[in-house]
Amino acid sequence: MTVYKLPPIYSSEITPRDLFHDRRRFMQLAAGASLTALLPQNAFAGEPLAGVTKSTDRLIDELTPLKDITSYNNFYEFGTGKEDPAKNAGSLKTRPWTITVEGEANKPKVFDIEELLKLAPLEERIYRLRCVEAWSMVIPWVGYSLAALLKQVEPTGNAKFVEFISLHDPEQMQGQKSPTLNWPYKEGLRIDEAMHPLTLLAVGLYGEVLPNQNGAPIRIVVPWKYGFKSAKSIVKIRLVEKMPMSSWMEANSNEYGFYSNVNPDVDHARWSQAKERRIGEFLKRPTLPFNGYSEQVASLYSGMDLTKNF
Ligand code: MTE
């Protein structure tokens, strides 16, 4: 069994959580409406996000505890060990932050993070995350459909694919001083996958601002694909005509294809994908096609040979 590191201490946990929330509310009331806007809301990992619509999903799966979600991570910019991101991602500065949306768009634009936080109502979405390494978690993300952002820039008819590019700054991301991957981290989706309502632009989890190790201040979450498709700490989105290369395809195209839909029938080159270990559980459970989201997404791939388009 893996031994998990103690979780980092959040500002919300230095004082008991309720007291912290009460203190914030008091400060906001005391400051009055105009001053409230000046408070650094939504700024730091672990702070509560305001105005989040709670998920109404029937809870079939138990949520993975916050401490596991934030202490067992893949974020190679901060090291290749599962405990490295929690240890090292504190050096990431999440303000100021912008996302440039460019390429095949009538209205390309640079979005500031504060604008992105208000672009659409924040919703809680409980998604299963299945990593290609055959472990999984159940995470209550906070965000909104990526489609809401893409619609703002009006993709042209030539926009067939969407490329996501994570931050490249070896001073803040010490793992980028080693050539573990071809930096910056790059991922891609077909335009219909990117516009699918399940595809999330996430800014938080468990009702709080996204911890750095989970991809702060803003990341993609594509629940029916292996976790590596969900690029963290993104700074650029490019609408393109040709299928983009991802960092993992560049690293090993025999092992990592463009689609990377969760598929128990197609093995990874070095291991089976038939089962997975839910973090916190001992026995393995069967992996579901499209990670359990077949009903919503299987039609995107009708007529495609998913053993070739893995
Ligand atoms: N994004 C960036 N920029 N760098 C990474 O190393 N790892 C991916 C994905 N996004 C990764 C990334 C992998 S392999 C997984 S499984 C998920 O992030 C893990 O997300 P989590 O740590 O929030 O669970």
Side-chain angles (χ1 to χ4, degrees):
M1 287 276 285
T2 316
V3 179
Y4 301 121
K5 190 180 157 279
L6 283 172
I9 299 169
Y10 295 120
S11 53
S12 57
E13 283 164 355
I14 292 168
T15 55
R17 199 164 284 236
D18 291 348
L19 203 67
F20 172 83
H21 287 195
D22 281 353
R23 197 182 62 204
R24 277 188 71 85
R25 220 169 293 134
F26 172 73
M27 280 166 66
Q28 288 172 1
L29 283 174
S34 57
L35 256 181
T36 305
L38 298 176
L39 290 172
Q41 289 188 37
N42 301 333
F44 302 108
E47 291 208 0
L49 280 162
V52 178
T53 312
K54 289 289 265 182
S55 169
T56 53
D57 292 353
R58 270 193 310 128
L59 261 190
I60 311 155
D61 293 356
E62 220 175 290
L63 296 183
T64 302
L66 178 68
K67 74 166 173 44
D68 290 336
I69 297 174
T70 56
S71 61
Y72 188 86
N73 300 98
N74 276 336
F75 200 170
Y76 278 28
E77 286 88 334
F78 295 104
T80 53
K82 295 284 177 276
E83 299 172 3
D84 290 342
K87 234 183 295 171
N88 301 328
S91 55
L92 176 66
K93 289 198 293 286
T94 57
R95 291 294 187 285
W97 194 278
T98 57
I99 295 188
T100 304
V101 189
E102 60 179 30
E104 291 293 343
N106 291 324
K107 295 182 176 170
K109 186 177 163 173
V110 179
F111 293 85
D112 188 80
I113 185 68
E114 309 302 341
E115 184 183 0
L116 287 168
L117 284 164
K118 291 184 220 115
L119 196 75
L122 297 181
E123 299 163 31
E124 183 179 63
R125 301 263 191 98
I126 298 170
Y127 283 169
R128 288 176 289 273
L129 180 137
R130 168 58 158 83
C131 182
V132 73
E133 296 162 325
W135 52 264
S136 61
M137 298 193 189
V138 184
I139 303 179
W141 299 107
V142 176
Y144 51 81
S145 295
L146 173 66
L149 171 61
L150 295 179
K151 279 177 192 158
Q152 295 268 321
V153 301
E154 296 180 8
T156 70
N158 293 332
K160 304 276 194 285
F161 294 91
V162 185
E163 190 179 12
F164 305 96
I165 299 156
S166 299
L167 180 69
H168 188 200
D169 185 350
E171 290 313 307
Q172 293 187 61
M173 297 175 139
Q174 60 172 55
Q176 289 180 334
K177 290 181 176 161
S178 315
T180 5
L181 286 172
N182 193 4
W183 308 114
Y185 194 95
K186 293 183 293 298
E187 259 309 336
L189 293 173
R190 219 168 53 189
I191 187 81
D192 56 343
E193 297 177 324
M195 296 297 278
H196 193 282
L198 279 180
T199 301
L200 190 70
L201 197 58
V203 295
L205 56 85
Y206 267 108
E208 298 180 343
V209 171
L210 207 55
N212 286 4
Q213 59 268 41
N214 293 92
I218 193 157
R219 70 174 291 175
I220 305 297
V221 182
V222 196
W224 70 97
K225 293 179 180 276
Y226 292 117
F228 66 84
K229 297 297 283 182
S230 299
K232 295 176 166 183
S233 306
I234 57 165
V235 292
K236 195 172 277 190
I237 297 178
R238 257 191 221 130
L239 293 148
V240 293
E241 195 165 4
K242 299 220 167 65
M243 182 185 280
M245 280 294 273
S246 68
S247 292
W248 287 106
M249 289 163 79
E250 283 171 349
N252 193 337
S253 58
N254 293 328
E255 297 191 355
Y256 305 102
F258 178 78
Y259 285 94
S260 298
N261 292 316
V262 173
N263 191 340
D265 299 330
V266 176
D267 291 344
H268 182 274
R270 286 176 283 140
W271 60 82
S272 162
Q273 294 291 20
K275 289 186 173 176
E276 68 201 58
R277 193 172 69 85
R278 183 66 51 82
I279 296 300
E281 290 179 4
F282 183 68
L283 293 175
K284 288 190 175 173
R285 54 169 77 213
T287 284
L288 301 173
F290 298 108
N291 201 22
Y293 300 92
S294 296
E295 211 178 296
Q296 294 97 316
V297 301
S299 62
L300 297 177
Y301 310 101
S302 54
M304 280 175 71
D305 181 347
L306 296 179
T307 58
K308 292 207 180 85
N309 296 288
F310 61 87

